[in-house]
């Protein structure tokens, strides 16, 4: 009976904060003054800027999928199939790009890529170019570079996992029948990699499509995400935003359904038989070139980080490759300025609260899924997993439009909605990790406790919880740091300065002319350290690989 | 059909010596077994023949041509992988046709060849299925068909039956033997299962610890092994320590704690040298005069037509004998029993 009540409460929460906003967006896209209409669609698509933005967003996302493929796939091959000195030391560095939000990186990168930024100065000094090149262009290429450098590890991770999943003998069987490497790659390896590749591509595509922070920093307006953001201000008079968000929802639903079907239908995970020493050895001249290219790749992918760090300590940085004078005053400002201070306080509070909700809710749902036979389990499972596919910008847009002029109107106080949106976004990870902990645990450990005379509560306290908790806390630590990094909902839902979380503070500062961008970078460095630390802690807690947090399965 | 020769193959991985100076040769149309416990290096040896691992030293010769550094794709040596390695995204037909397509055969020939190999392996009804939908035995046959269809010089089989259950294993054993006879293909078959090797092998190489201990027919290896490891690996055996006594023209006397034994062979080793002798539990009789041993019956373990009897001698050695059911009425637990071993059934191990 009790479990039924808990189930109902969870269900109400999920319906109200996940399903309801989506339904609201869908209905509003087709309703004008209480009547059903296709009019909003027509008006929106008739608008040149909107058509251009949709096209640009698609182009950008496809380009980023391609560029991350070009970087990630060879890298995965190199690290999975070859053995070379320093491999295990080098590998973690390729995950570092994930710890900096690309929009923070964007602030730093403008220093390097701008007309008189480091790169142009360097190239001009070397005599390679005569006049400064406009690397950022209108901002499109800047966004492209930042997204690529941020997201290629996701490709790397997914392809590595797929490569690891199928046995090397699949390839050997092909060579054995006389096939060359290119034949084997085309006919055996690539088809087997496809599910993993498709999954990674979907994540990267949707991420790029819905990232709001980076285009805002580059002040590039003709993208879907920015159009959605702009539409919020006058959503009551111009409902075009609904249509745009619905479009995003449709794209994500299609991509994730395809991925899911593709993965379940063609799961090529095989029972691996340990064939020892399958990694090929690399040495000599080849190794030299591999090192050179790895170092170059690493340098470019860490360029945003380097630029943020340099900006955060540079006193003077004009027309030179590196800052000409250094200072620590921006860090002092971070901890003294009222805006940054409230930002840090707000973020810690909001992320902490949302993590708390995640732990309670995630654990409960995980428990219900793994240990009860309650009717409607599937519904709760589906709802809890839904945020995996819903971009932050959609969620934030839904909350903003749905809860305006209610008791939790974000214009008055966004705390509740921010907490809920942060926690809902990370809920799937917590549910899944708890669920799998329960699954791995098996029932017999609990039954053994019962058979020795312990009651349910004692068993839970002494057996179940201690065994499940490492996974739970690892998830919680990650959820916390993800919340601190959460850009879209922070930017959309926090309206007044006193409610700003870190992400919005960084965004606001980056637009201020004087020392704003530098302070923003200093704050960005602090967030980077926080995120890096939390990855480290959660990996230590459960000896899981970081990749598992960036995969669909 | 190919003839394969390995000359002094050695391989180490880091500090571990996996293969130590392996030499052997496999005749045309032969089914040759490499038998040994797991970790003895037999799979590595097979992978060296296939070309997936290159040896540190030594030569591989196929039909009088050295192929030591030829890449696997150009060796024309087929392989059946232990886990079959069937490509999950291709149908049975496509899995099998792959090798022929790579070799750019015209479509009609591919069709003919695949169909004929489907017939041989009795896979015709499953040709459009995908590997996941097949049973273990069927997958096994697809792997075999895929490796055979290109008519390789040699077919390598890496523990091909180890993933099947006991009944199926016996069926497939006969099946492989039939296919080998029907096609006359040269096979090198790696296994750790002595029954498999003895059932279909014409010659067996016994491997342990990276070395080939001895090569011979199943009967020779079973009844007159030179090496104690071979003797124990191929079946149960009783071992008694002793030293060489008098050496006669046609026999030798061995002095042991359990009394003196007579062998049917003249030994070249010197008198007084420590050696071991052994005999198989089933090679005993109750009528003979020579090589008589007595002891207390401690345990009788029935297994269908025969029973294994544990005997403790006066000196405390444990010996096993195997007797038919009809002899069991004379054998009682905790009663004394005498049996003897014919001199020709005594196996002598002079090597360390």
């Amino acid at each position: 009976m009790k479990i039924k009540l808990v189930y109902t409460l969870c269900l109400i929460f999920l319906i109200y904060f996940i399903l309801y906003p989506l339904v609201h967006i869908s209905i509003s896209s087709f309703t004008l003054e209480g009547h059903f209409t296709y009019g909003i669609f027509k008006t929106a698509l008739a608008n040149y800027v909107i058509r251009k933005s949709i096209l640009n967003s698609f182009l950008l996302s496809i380009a980023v999928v391609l560029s991350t493929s070009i970087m990630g796939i060879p890298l995965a091959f190199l690290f999975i199939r070859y053995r070379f000195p320093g491999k295990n030391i080098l590998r973690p560095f390729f995950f570092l790009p994930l710890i900096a939000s690309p929009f923070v990186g964007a602030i730093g990168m403008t220093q390097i890529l701008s007309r008189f930024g480091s790169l142009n100065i360097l190239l001009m000094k070397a005599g390679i170019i005569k006049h400064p090149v406009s690397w950022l262009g209108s901002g499109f290429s800047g966004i492209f570079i930042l997204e690529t450098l941020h997201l290629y590890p996701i490709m790397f991770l997914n392809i590595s996992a797929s490569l690891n999943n199928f046995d090397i003998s699949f390839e050997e069987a092909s060579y054995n029948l006389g096939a060359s490497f290119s034949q084997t790659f085309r006919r055996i390896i690539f088809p087997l990699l496809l599910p993993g590749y498709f999954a990674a591509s979907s994540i990267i595509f949707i991420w790029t499509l819905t990232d709001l922070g980076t285009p805002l920093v580059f002040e590039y307006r003709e993208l879907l995400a920015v159009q959605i953001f702009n539409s919020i201000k006058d959503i009551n008079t111009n409902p075009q935003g609904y249509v745009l968000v619905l479009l995003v929802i449709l794209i994500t639903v299609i991509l994730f359904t395809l991925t899911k079907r593709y993965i379940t239908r063609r799961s090529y995970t095989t029972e691996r038989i340990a064939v020892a020493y399958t990694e090929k050895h690399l040495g000599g001249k080849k190794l030299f070139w591999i090192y050179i290219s790895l170092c170059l790749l690493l340098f470019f992918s860490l360029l945003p980080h380097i630029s943020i760090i340099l900006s955060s300590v540079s006193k003077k940085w004009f027309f030179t490759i590196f800052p000409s004078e250094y200072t620590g005053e921006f860090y002092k400002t971070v901890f003294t300025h009222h805006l940054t201070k409230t930002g840090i306080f707000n973020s810690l509070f909001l992320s902490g609260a949302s993590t708390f909700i995640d732990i309670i809710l995630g654990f409960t749902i995980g428990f219900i899924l793994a240990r009860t036979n309650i009717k409607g389990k599937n519904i709760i499972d589906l709802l809890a997993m839904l945020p995996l596919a819903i971009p932050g910008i959609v969620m934030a847009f839904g909350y903003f439009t749905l809860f305006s002029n209610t008791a939790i109107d974000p214009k008055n106080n966004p705390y509740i909605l921010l907490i809920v949106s942060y926690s809902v976004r990370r809920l799937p990870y917590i549910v899944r990790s708890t669920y799998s902990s329960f699954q791995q645990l098996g029932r017999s450990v609990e039954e053994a406790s019962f058979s020795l005379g312990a009651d349910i509560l004692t068993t839970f306290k002494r057996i179940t919880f201690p065994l499940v908790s490492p996974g739970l806390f690892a998830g919680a630590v990650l959820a916390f740091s993800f919340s601190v990094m959460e850009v879209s909902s922070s930017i959309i839902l926090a309206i007044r300065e006193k409610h700003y979380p870190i992400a919005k503070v960084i965004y606001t500062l980056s637009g201020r002319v004087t020392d704003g961008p530098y302070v923003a970078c200093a704050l960005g460095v602090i967030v980077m350290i926080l995120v890096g630390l939390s990855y480290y802690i959660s990996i230590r807690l459960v000896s899981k690989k970081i990749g598992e947090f960036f995969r669909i399965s | 059909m190919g003839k394969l020769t390995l000359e002094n193959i050695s391989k180490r991985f880091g500090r571990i010596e996996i293969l130590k100076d392996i030499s052997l040769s496999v005749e045309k149309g032969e089914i040759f077994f490499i038998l040994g416990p797991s970790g003895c290096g037999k799979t590595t040896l097979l992978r060296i023949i296939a070309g997936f691992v290159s040896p540190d030293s030594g030569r591989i010769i196929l039909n009088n041509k050295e192929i030591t550094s030829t890449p696997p794709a150009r060796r024309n040596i087929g392989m059946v992988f232990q886990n079959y390695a069937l490509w999950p995204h291709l149908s049975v037909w496509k899995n099998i046709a792959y090798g022929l397509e790579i070799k750019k055969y015209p479509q009609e020939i591919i069709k003919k060849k695949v169909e004929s190999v489907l017939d041989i392996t009795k896979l015709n009804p499953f040709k459009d299925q995908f590997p996941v939908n097949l049973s273990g035995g069927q997958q096994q046959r697809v792997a075999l068909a895929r490796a055979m269809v290109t008519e390789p010089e040699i077919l390598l089989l890496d523990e091909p039956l180890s993933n099947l259950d006991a009944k199926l294993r016996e069926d497939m054993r006969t099946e492989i033997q039939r296919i080998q006879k029907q096609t006359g293909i040269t096979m090198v078959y790696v296994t750790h299962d002595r029954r498999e090797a003895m059932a279909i092998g014409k010659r067996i190489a016994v491997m342990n610890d990276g070395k080939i201990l001895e090569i011979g027919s199943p009967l020779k290896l079973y009844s007159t092994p030179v090496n104690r490891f071979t003797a124990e690996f191929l079946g149960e055996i009783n071992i008694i320590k002793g030293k060489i006594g008098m050496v006669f023209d046609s026999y030798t006397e061995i002095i042991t704690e359990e009394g003196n034994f007579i062998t049917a062979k003249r030994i070249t080793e010197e008198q007084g040298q420590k050696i071991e002798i052994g005999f198989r539990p089933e090679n005993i009789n109750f009528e003979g005069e020579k090589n008589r041993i007595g002891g207390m019956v401690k345990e009788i373990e029935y297994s269908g037509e025969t029973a294994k009897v544990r005997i403790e001698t006066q000196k405390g050695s444990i010996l096993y004998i195997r007797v038919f059911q009809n002899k069991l009425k004379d054998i009682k637990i905790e009663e004394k029993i005498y049996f003897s071993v014919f001199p020709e059934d005594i196996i002598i191990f002079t090597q360390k």
Side-chain angles (χ1 to χ4, degrees):
Chain A
M1 232 43 241
K2 262 188 213 153
I3 197 80
K4 228 169 187 169
L5 180 72
V6 174
Y7 170 80
T8 315
L9 287 176
C10 290
L11 197 63
I12 290 172
F13 180 90
L14 295 179
I15 289 177
Y16 196 66
F17 285 114
I18 296 173
L19 201 59
Y20 186 31
L22 295 179
V23 173
H24 165 74
I25 291 166
S26 312
I27 293 175
S28 304
S29 304
F30 295 102
T31 321
L32 211 56
E33 289 159 1
H35 295 289
F36 178 84
T37 176
Y38 291 112
I40 312 172
F41 254 95
K42 279 186 195 148
T43 336
L45 293 181
N47 185 333
Y48 171 75
V49 177
I50 286 184
R51 281 210 314 270
K52 183 99 190 287
S53 303
I54 294 173
L55 187 70
N56 279 344
S57 281
F58 268 78
L59 280 180
L60 178 70
S61 304
I62 290 168
V64 172
V65 167
L66 289 179
S67 58
T68 50
S69 310
I70 292 168
M71 288 166 80
I73 296 175
L75 203 59
F77 261 87
L78 183 68
F79 274 91
I80 297 293
R81 288 283 190 257
Y82 292 93
R83 185 159 31 104
F84 52 90
K87 175 171 138 173
N88 291 329
I89 300 166
L90 272 171
R91 199 202 313 257
F93 284 99
F94 287 95
F95 300 133
L96 279 181
L98 287 173
I99 68 165
S101 187
F103 103 103
V104 185
I107 302 170
M109 284 293 267
T110 42
Q111 267 298 354
I112 289 180
L113 296 180
S114 65
R115 260 186 103 65
F116 291 100
S118 308
L119 185 61
N120 277 337
I121 306 274
L122 180 74
L123 291 176
M124 281 183 341
K125 272 193 178 157
I128 297 170
I129 54 169
K130 274 219 170 87
H131 304 288
V133 176
S134 160
W135 297 103
L136 298 169
S138 54
F140 188 89
S141 48
I143 303 169
F144 168 75
I145 293 171
L146 262 300
E147 301 289 0
T148 302
L149 294 183
H150 179 62
L151 295 173
Y152 83 89
I154 291 181
M155 185 61 77
F156 175 36
L157 285 165
N158 276 274
I159 298 293
S160 301
S162 304
L163 275 178
N164 251 334
N165 264 348
F166 72 81
D167 206 292
I168 186 110
S169 56
F170 284 157
E171 281 171 69
E172 289 179 346
S174 172
Y175 297 135
N176 182 252
L177 291 168
S180 64
F181 175 76
S182 68
Q183 283 170 318
T184 307
F185 186 84
R186 196 161 43 82
R187 302 190 48 174
I188 308 295
I189 303 173
F190 190 69
L192 290 171
L193 285 182
L194 256 183
Y197 179 67
F198 201 76
S201 300
S202 302
I203 297 177
I204 291 168
F205 187 92
I206 290 166
W207 188 308
T208 312
L209 189 74
T210 60
D211 184 21
L212 177 60
T214 319
L216 284 184
V217 169
F218 283 119
E219 291 174 5
Y220 187 76
R221 303 273 161 204
E222 288 174 343
L223 282 178
L224 200 49
V226 184
Q227 292 300 325
I228 291 172
F229 177 62
N230 288 341
S231 77
I232 290 177
K233 285 167 220 148
D234 53 351
I235 194 72
N236 290 322
T237 51
N238 180 3
Q240 277 181 5
Y242 288 113
V243 172
L244 299 182
V245 177
L246 189 65
L247 187 69
V248 173
I249 295 176
L250 286 179
I251 295 167
T252 45
V253 166
I254 290 169
L255 278 180
F256 277 89
T257 328
L258 282 179
T259 309
K260 195 107 199 185
R261 279 180 63 181
Y262 210 60
I263 287 181
T264 40
R265 196 150 43 105
R266 304 194 161 194
S267 183
Y268 297 141
T269 311
T270 44
E271 224 174 284
R272 273 165 64 89
I273 288 181
V275 178
Y277 318 105
T278 47
E279 293 173 347
K280 280 176 226 143
H281 188 75
L282 264 181
K285 228 181 182 171
K286 260 191 199 156
L287 186 64
F288 174 76
W289 288 114
I290 293 286
Y291 277 137
I292 295 279
S293 20
L294 282 183
C295 287
L296 272 176
L297 182 61
L298 209 54
F299 173 73
F300 280 115
S301 54
L302 294 182
L303 209 51
H305 304 63
I306 299 168
S307 64
I308 299 168
I309 294 169
L310 281 179
S311 299
S312 75
V313 291
S314 73
K315 194 172 183 184
K316 240 175 150 184
W317 193 358
F318 302 110
F319 303 105
T320 48
I321 298 168
F322 291 107
S324 44
E325 267 182 71
Y326 293 92
T327 175
E329 69 178 276
F330 300 125
Y331 284 92
K332 224 170 95 191
T333 315
V334 166
F335 292 106
T336 49
H337 193 276
H338 72 95
L339 187 58
T340 44
K341 267 188 347 198
T342 28
I344 292 172
F345 171 79
N346 281 337
S347 271
L348 292 182
F349 165 68
L350 295 169
S351 304
S354 75
T355 306
F356 183 72
I357 292 181
D358 269 341
I359 291 178
I360 303 287
L361 204 60
F363 186 80
T364 313
I365 295 174
F367 176 81
I368 290 174
L369 293 179
R371 288 287 191 265
T372 65
N373 289 318
I374 203 158
K375 263 190 189 168
K377 231 167 74 167
N378 295 338
I379 300 173
I380 213 171
D381 187 16
L382 190 78
L383 283 178
M385 286 302 145
L386 207 53
L388 263 188
I390 304 173
I393 192 169
V394 171
M395 220 72 226
F397 181 89
Y399 286 175
F400 191 93
T401 52
L402 187 57
F403 297 111
S404 281
N405 305 318
T406 64
I408 47 174
D409 189 339
K411 280 176 291 236
N412 298 327
N413 188 338
Y415 282 166
I416 291 181
L417 286 181
L418 278 172
I419 291 170
V420 171
S421 73
Y422 287 171
S423 60
V424 160
R425 294 266 290 147
R426 299 302 146 208
L427 188 61
Y429 298 95
I430 308 278
V431 170
R432 208 164 46 172
S433 71
T434 320
Y435 176 75
S436 62
S437 303
F438 273 118
Q439 288 270 304
Q440 278 167 16
L441 204 58
R443 284 220 157 152
S444 55
V445 286
E446 288 162 9
E447 284 163 358
S449 165
F450 294 143
S451 75
L452 291 169
D455 58 10
I456 289 183
L457 208 66
T458 317
T459 304
F460 183 79
K461 218 166 56 192
R462 309 254 324 248
I463 309 290
T464 319
F465 189 72
L467 287 170
V468 176
S469 55
L472 184 65
F473 285 117
V477 172
L478 272 188
F480 181 83
S481 74
F482 271 119
S483 303
V484 175
M485 278 216 297
E486 186 77 49
V487 180
S488 304
S489 35
S490 306
I491 290 183
I492 291 175
L493 291 173
I495 313 290
R496 292 196 205 161
E497 258 187 22
K498 63 173 180 181
H499 298 137
Y500 280 6
I502 287 179
K504 183 128 191 188
V505 171
I506 293 179
Y507 169 57
T508 313
L509 284 172
S510 74
R512 295 195 177 167
V513 270
T514 51
D515 59 352
Y518 302 104
V519 180
C521 285
L523 191 51
V525 172
I526 293 168
V527 174
M528 250 160 53
I529 293 169
L530 186 72
V531 174
L533 216 62
S534 67
Y535 276 143
Y536 179 74
I537 292 170
S538 63
I539 289 167
R540 288 297 296 264
L541 270 176
V542 282
S543 44
K544 239 183 202 171
K545 296 211 176 80
I546 191 169
E548 293 176 28
F549 299 110
F550 293 95
R551 265 190 262 139
I552 313 171
S553 54
Chain B
M1 300 322 103
K3 175 180 157 62
L4 175 77
T5 310
L6 303 184
E7 285 176 4
N8 313 97
I9 299 285
S10 294
K11 179 75 189 173
R12 44 170 67 240
F13 287 125
R15 244 175 279 158
I16 310 159
E17 217 176 346
I18 302 282
L19 296 173
K20 301 165 188 163
D21 200 27
I22 302 273
S23 295
L24 57 84
S25 81
V26 181
E27 298 302 321
K28 271 184 193 176
E30 184 182 27
I31 176 161
F32 186 86
F33 271 79
I34 298 172
L35 175 69
S38 37
C40 74
K42 55 192 192 304
T43 294
T44 304
L45 184 61
L46 207 65
R47 290 168 61 77
I48 283 178
I49 300 173
F52 298 127
V53 177
S54 47
D56 295 338
S57 61
R59 304 198 314 152
I60 309 161
I61 294 149
L62 181 63
N63 294 339
N64 304 320
K65 232 181 78 197
E66 182 170 350
I67 56 160
T68 317
S69 47
T70 311
R74 279 196 273 126
R75 287 196 183 192
N76 201 17
I77 291 179
M79 177 145 173
V80 176
F81 291 80
Q82 186 175 5
N83 61 343
Y84 316 141
L86 299 181
W87 301 305
H89 63 302
L90 301 180
S91 67
V92 168
W93 178 282
K94 290 214 165 126
N95 259 286
I96 297 174
Y98 183 89
L100 297 169
E101 286 168 8
I102 292 294
K103 293 197 164 70
K104 299 221 163 63
Y105 279 94
Q107 273 306 320
E108 60 268 31
I109 297 199
I110 292 180
K111 193 163 179 296
K112 234 172 73 189
K113 281 184 188 269
V114 173
E115 253 156 26
S116 112
V117 80
L118 282 171
D119 276 344
I120 294 174
T121 49
K122 298 173 185 162
L123 279 169
N124 231 320
F126 312 103
K127 62 181 180 207
D128 296 321
Q129 301 271 343
F130 283 84
V132 264
N133 303 324
L134 301 180
S135 71
Q138 288 158 355
Q139 290 187 17
Q140 222 291 310
R141 294 209 295 270
V142 179
L144 201 60
R146 183 179 70 183
M148 271 179 7
V149 74
T150 56
E151 290 162 27
E153 297 286 344
I154 309 264
L155 188 60
L156 308 176
L157 299 105
D158 185 7
E159 304 256 6
L161 307 182
S162 63
N163 285 346
L164 305 177
D165 60 54
K167 174 75 182 72
L168 206 55
R169 200 146 51 209
E170 264 176 50
D171 293 348
M172 278 312 294
R173 205 152 81 185
T174 337
E175 197 69 6
I176 290 176
Q177 198 173 17
R178 177 183 66 78
I179 290 168
Q180 198 272 332
K181 271 196 188 128
Q182 198 172 333
T183 57
I185 192 167
T186 313
M187 283 187 182
V188 178
Y189 189 131
V190 157
T191 183
H192 67 271
D193 184 341
R194 64 189 165 95
R195 287 172 210 284
E196 227 166 277
M198 291 202 283
I200 42 178
K202 289 283 165 290
R203 283 198 308 147
I204 301 172
V206 179
M207 236 183 123
N208 188 34
D209 203 14
K211 279 185 298 218
I212 288 189
L213 301 178
E214 51 190 304
I215 300 176
S217 69
L219 184 68
K220 178 177 169 281
L221 292 180
Y222 186 78
S223 52
T224 53
V226 182
N227 207 285
R228 187 175 154 183
F229 178 86
T230 309
E232 287 178 324
F233 199 71
L234 289 189
E236 295 163 331
I237 191 162
N238 295 299
I239 301 281
I240 301 169
K241 286 196 169 88
K243 58 181 188 190
I244 300 174
M246 302 284 282
V247 180
F248 299 95
D249 273 351
S250 57
Y251 64 94
T252 311
E253 187 189 40
I254 311 288
I255 300 157
T256 79
E257 271 196 337
E258 304 297 338
N260 294 356
F261 286 82
I262 305 249
T263 73
K265 219 167 80 180
R266 185 193 158 89
I267 295 184
T268 49
E269 266 75 12
E270 279 192 24
Q271 205 174 0
Q273 190 185 321
K274 281 186 181 164
I275 57 159
E276 286 169 336
I277 57 166
F279 62 92
R280 302 275 182 204
E282 68 274 18
N283 288 342
I284 57 114
N285 62 80
F286 297 105
E287 298 82 29
E289 294 292 318
K290 290 172 185 159
N291 299 341
R292 251 177 115 67
I293 306 170
M296 204 69 108
V297 176
K298 286 294 177 191
E299 200 184 311
I300 304 172
E301 185 190 308
Y302 302 94
S303 58
E305 63 269 37
T306 64
K308 195 162 108 176
V309 180
R310 184 158 69 100
I311 293 163
E312 203 178 306
T313 64
Q314 217 160 18
K315 299 284 179 192
S317 317
I318 304 290
L319 299 174
Y320 290 95
I321 61 170
R322 195 170 272 286
V323 295
F324 281 105
Q325 292 289 358
N326 57 357
K327 299 273 190 215
L328 273 179
K329 58 182 188 301
D330 304 328
I331 299 174
K332 304 237 159 37
I333 286 188
E334 293 300 336
E335 277 186 14
K336 199 146 191 192
I337 185 178
Y338 288 95
F339 62 91
S340 60
V341 184
F342 291 127
E344 52 267 34
D345 288 329
I346 297 278
I347 305 165
I348 307 149
F349 305 110
T350 48
Q351 293 178 345
K352 275 272 155 163

